[in-house]
Structure formats: C-alpha cells, structure tokens
Amino acid sequence: MKKWCGIIVVIVLLIYIFLTCSMAENNSCMQKRQHISSFSTSFSSSSDNRKYNIKLATSSFSWIQVNPNEELSFNKTVGLRSHQNGYKNAIVIQDGEYVEGVGGGVCQVSTTLYNAWLRAGLDVVVARGHSVPASYIDKSLDATVSEAQDLILCNNTNMAIVINGYIKDDNIIFDIYGPKTNYRYEVYSKVLSTIKPAAPREEIILSFGDNQVFNNGEKDYIVLSRERKGYHSASFIKVYKNNIYLYEKKIREDYYLPRSGVIGVLY
C-alpha cells in the first residue's frame, strides 16, 4: 500500500511540474506577443444576404494561429462558398460587372484581413485586386477571392501569429497578434492615371418609353448603361523604426477596367 501511495505522489508531482512549466511557457509567450495591427471595414449598407455571408466567412477566423514560416490560405480556411456550406446569393464582381452569385460579400472579408496583415509588416504570397474598384476600400488595397483566386499570407517571423476576426456594429474587424517589435507600418494607395472608356455602343430600340431623352447633336438617345472610368493605381507601405522613417516600397500595381456606356437609339 505504501508503495502505491509513493507512486501516486510521484505522478501528482510530475503532473504539477508539467502544468507549472506549461503555464510559465504560455505566460512567457504572451509577454513576447502583442497586438500589432488592426483593420476594419463597414458593411452597414449591404443587403441581408451579403451581411450573412460576411458574418459566416469572418467566423472562420476566430483566434486562429499561423506558425512561423507557415502559409495561410483564405480559401482553405473559409472553405467553398456554396449553398451546401450555408452561403447565400448576393452581388459579386465578375468580369468587370456586378452580378448575383453565391457568397457575395466574402471578398470584403479577405480584403479586411489582407489590410490588417499588411499593417503588421507580414509577408503576402498571393493577393490580387478586383476587375473594378471595390466601394469599401481604396484602389490597390482590395483582395479578391474565388474558386480560382486565393489570398495567401505567410508568417515570416520566428513566433506564431494569432488572427482574430469578428463582427461589431456592421464592421468587419481583424486583429493581428505577434512578436513585439519596434517597427511601424503605414499603408496607402494612389491613382496613377485614369483610363477613358471607349465611345458608347448603340443599341436599336423601338421606343424611348418613359426614359429621359438626350441628344448628341446628331440623334436622340436614352442611356441604357452608364460608362465607367478605369484606373491604373498602386499601393505602398512606409516603414518606421522607433517612429523614425526608414523607407517606402511599392506593394503592387493594378489596372481596373473601364466600361463603355450603352445608348438606345430609335429603329
């Protein structure tokens, strides 16, 4: 009996030592890790379906960890945007046009994460803009995702990075936690040039109906589809250490497609 009591005491002591060391290690990691960046975008004007999709996709990023030198795939984390996975139909950008599609709104989640990651000074492996500017972010700072296009991020530090994505008051918020650093990052973008659309395309119609009629000096017409300017833009990051400016580098350049208008003329 005494022998078994001795064994039990040893086991309890070993468990105590293990838990104490684990807690000390976790406390040490937390002391070294800090909140290093945040970014948010608003979706208050979105449709109910789009809001639902945004909340569903954001829920995939609740306190997830990216280990050193590990890559994070947005598509693998969120999964396929399908009706079977709970996503609803909402407006998406496809081939330069706004159309209805499954999972509309998810690109705003990927864009918000992308901008938080950039402001943490972490590496981006794959990121691509939309074919037309998004309303919720400056040009060249969007990150589109689809079955064919992913957002891939990389933890280029020697400590695990923690991502927390959540919703508050119709805002998507991403917080990034990582190693303490003396560096600070500012991200911005600017339009380098505008791209003029081609001349409007004419369509023959039988009646103007109740539409407003215009005249171009040669013929009367109505506007069936408005033209849209295109843009050549770029994004940049400024790097500071101990609040002293070090350098600036370009993140990427983008071309957003112009669209010609369509006018209706009488047959």
Side-chain angles (χ1 to χ4, degrees), residues 63-155:
W63 298 106
I64 66 170
Q65 181 170 299
V66 186
N67 292 319
N69 300 313
E70 182 182 6
E71 291 185 353
L72 172 77
S73 161
F74 184 93
N75 283 344
K76 288 181 180 178
T77 304
V78 173
L80 181 66
R81 275 75 77 191
S82 65
H83 291 140
Q84 290 83 355
N85 287 338
Y87 287 92
K88 300 182 179 182
N89 285 4
I91 297 299
V92 299
I93 299 174
Q94 182 176 314
D95 298 327
E97 300 294 337
Y98 291 94
V99 298
E100 189 173 271
V102 182
V106 173
C107 287
Q108 186 167 349
V109 180
S110 58
T111 292
T112 309
L113 170 59
Y114 172 63
N115 277 267
W117 196 263
L118 285 175
R119 286 161 174 78
L122 299 167
D123 283 355
V124 176
V125 180
V126 176
R128 179 183 174 187
H130 294 80
S131 51
V132 298
S135 60
Y136 48 80
I137 194 71
D138 290 338
K139 299 170 186 65
S140 286
L141 290 175
D142 52 337
T144 184
V145 288
S146 66
E147 288 187 42
Q149 179 64 45
D150 202 356
L151 169 66
I152 302 178
L153 310 172
C154 180
N155 175 7

Side-chain angles (χ1 to χ4, degrees), residues 178-196:
K180 290 184 177 181
T181 177
N182 296 325
Y183 289 89
R184 180 170 60 86
Y185 305 91
E186 291 182 3
V187 177
Y188 73 98
S189 71
K190 62 182 179 182
V191 174
L192 303 178
S193 64
T194 57
I195 306 169
K196 187 177 180 180

Side-chain angles (χ1 to χ4, degrees), residues 153-214:
L153 310 172
C154 180
N155 175 7
N156 55 306
T157 74
N158 59 4
M159 181 184 291
I161 297 294
V162 175
I163 302 170
N164 186 34
Y166 56 99
I167 303 297
K168 183 177 181 181
D169 299 328
D170 282 347
N171 290 287
I172 309 167
I173 304 171
F174 273 94
D175 292 329
I176 308 294
Y177 299 84
K180 290 184 177 181
T181 177
N182 296 325
Y183 289 89
R184 180 170 60 86
Y185 305 91
E186 291 182 3
V187 177
Y188 73 98
S189 71
K190 62 182 179 182
V191 174
L192 303 178
S193 64
T194 57
I195 306 169
K196 187 177 180 180
R201 177 170 56 86
E202 291 187 2
E203 284 190 4
I204 304 298
I205 58 176
L206 299 178
S207 169
F208 286 145
D210 296 328
N211 297 288
Q212 183 178 1
V213 178
F214 300 89

